[in-house]
Amino acid sequence: MGDRMERAIEELLDARTGSICPSDAARTVDPDDWRPLMDEAREAAARLAAAGSVEVTQGGEVVDPGTVRGPIRIRRPPAAGAS
């Protein structure tokens, strides 16, 4: 399931500008029973953040996905050289 969740996050971010909620990825993987997948969505976001392909934010600030509590968002990091 982890690879599927990571792909869902990547595909959603590729299709949008801005950020997504982990629930968006969970709903993509299983639209009818997404709530049990929320922990997996957050874990997938943490793996992608560790790899440098996404940032996990809360209140617009980048946070450590391993320690943050409460609602988070997932976004692409700024492009290198962007200000």
Side-chain angles (χ1 to χ4, degrees), residues 50-75:
S53 61
V54 304
E55 293 179 332
V56 174
T57 65
Q58 188 174 61
E61 299 294 323
V62 177
V63 294
D64 178 353
T67 60
V68 68
R69 300 271 187 245
I72 61 170
R73 304 285 298 174
I74 308 162
R75 69 181 185 197

Side-chain angles (χ1 to χ4, degrees), residues 35-49:
R35 287 186 191 276
L37 300 178
M38 287 298 295
D39 285 341
E40 176 57 32
R42 289 174 72 105
E43 290 165 8
R47 288 191 299 273
L48 291 169

Side-chain angles (χ1 to χ4, degrees), residues 10 14 17 21-22 24 32 36 42 46 50 59 61 80:
E10 295 278 7
D14 287 345
T17 58
C21 179
D24 297 328
D32 297 322
R42 289 174 72 105
E61 299 294 323

Side-chain angles (χ1 to χ4, degrees), residues 10-17:
E10 295 278 7
E11 290 169 4
L12 286 166
L13 289 172
D14 287 345
R16 299 184 189 181
T17 58

